[in-house]
Amino acid sequence: YNTEKLQSQNFNSQTKMLQDTCPTIRNEESLAIFIHNLFLQTYKQFKEPYKTKMILIWLEYEASVIRMNQGKAAKELKKDLKKLVKCLLKEDRNNLDLVVKFADLEYSLEGYPSAQTLLETAILASNANFLKQNTEEGFLSATLLYRAAVELELREIVNIQKRNQEQKDEEIIDDSLHRNR
């Protein structure tokens, strides 16, 4: 604990009675490792839908750590994040929220092609189960993949149009492939 940070209390005297209770974190890396281990140990304790929500928060945290790093460290962290998501998907292959989050992370970290491939594969794999949904929750979960794919294509169309506006004198990029998907 922060033993050097004794707090002076205003109890009619200047004696230092209480200490800060925050642990001393030597650096941001040790804090990140601590938080990673905390998520790793606790997510299994939750039941659905809270388990999925906890995993999504965890993945967003890991992505924010990657965004703060640069160079070789960021590259290694990206590989670790992909391994983590693949392990989580092995535990629950039917968790479409996790698949969509993985595609979103792929888009933000790697770009459009890898995210599009991931969503397309997931849609092809889930097509057989899509028509067999007999509950509203199951149907909504299945449509989540289609929504994510449409949003991805729309983002790419907007990015292409922005690039075309910035490059008025150069060759215009065609976005019809994304419009027709």
Side-chain angles (χ1 to χ4, degrees):
Y1 288 99
N2 292 339
T3 56
E4 71 273 3
K5 291 188 176 181
L6 295 173
Q7 298 292 321
S8 69
Q9 306 300 316
N10 193 7
F11 298 118
N12 297 328
S13 71
Q14 293 296 331
T15 59
K16 296 178 180 178
M17 299 172 66
L18 301 175
Q19 297 180 2
D20 272 342
T21 56
C22 296
T24 302
I25 302 297
R26 288 183 176 78
N27 58 30
E28 289 181 15
E29 183 180 1
S30 61
L31 177 63
I33 291 169
F34 171 75
I35 293 172
H36 172 84
N37 289 332
L38 185 67
F39 276 118
L40 182 64
Q41 296 299 317
T42 57
Y43 86 93
K44 294 177 183 178
Q45 305 304 319
F46 291 93
K47 296 193 183 322
E48 291 297 340
Y50 305 108
K51 183 178 181 177
T52 297
K53 297 293 183 194
M54 179 63 103
I55 291 171
L56 296 179
I57 292 168
W58 181 14
L59 294 177
E60 191 56 46
Y61 170 75
E62 295 289 342
S64 71
V65 169
I66 292 171
R67 288 183 200 108
M68 289 190 305
N69 286 285
Q70 300 169 358
K72 188 176 181 182
K75 199 172 191 177
E76 289 296 317
L77 289 171
K78 284 179 189 178
K79 282 173 66 174
D80 291 342
L81 179 61
K82 285 183 181 183
K83 284 181 191 175
L84 172 65
V85 174
K86 288 177 182 178
C87 287
L88 292 170
L89 281 170
K90 281 181 184 176
E91 289 179 18
D92 187 5
R93 295 188 188 279
N94 298 325
N95 192 337
L96 298 181
D97 289 319
L98 186 54
V99 172
V100 170
K101 184 64 174 179
F102 185 33
D104 187 43
L105 292 173
E106 280 289 305
Y107 180 76
S108 65
L109 298 174
E110 300 292 330
Y112 169 78
S114 58
Q116 192 270 337
T117 302
L118 191 114
L119 282 175
E120 192 172 290
T121 303
I123 287 172
L124 290 173
S126 72
N127 259 350
N129 293 331
F130 181 74
L131 297 174
K132 296 177 185 175
Q133 299 298 326
N134 55 3
T135 64
E136 183 178 351
E137 182 180 320
F139 181 74
L140 290 175
S141 179
T143 58
L144 183 65
L145 276 177
Y146 291 95
R147 177 182 174 179
V150 168
E151 287 176 357
L152 180 70
E153 295 300 331
L154 289 173
R155 270 190 254 159
E156 190 62 17
I157 289 170
V158 169
N159 287 338
I160 288 173
Q161 289 177 351
K162 283 181 183 177
R163 278 185 252 137
N164 284 342
Q165 288 177 351
E166 291 170 358
Q167 304 173 4
K168 291 185 179 183
D169 296 337
E170 297 178 25
E171 184 179 333
I172 294 176
I173 303 168
D174 186 23
D175 64 356
S176 62
L177 172 67
H178 303 286
R179 290 175 186 265
N180 295 331
R181 281 200 175 154

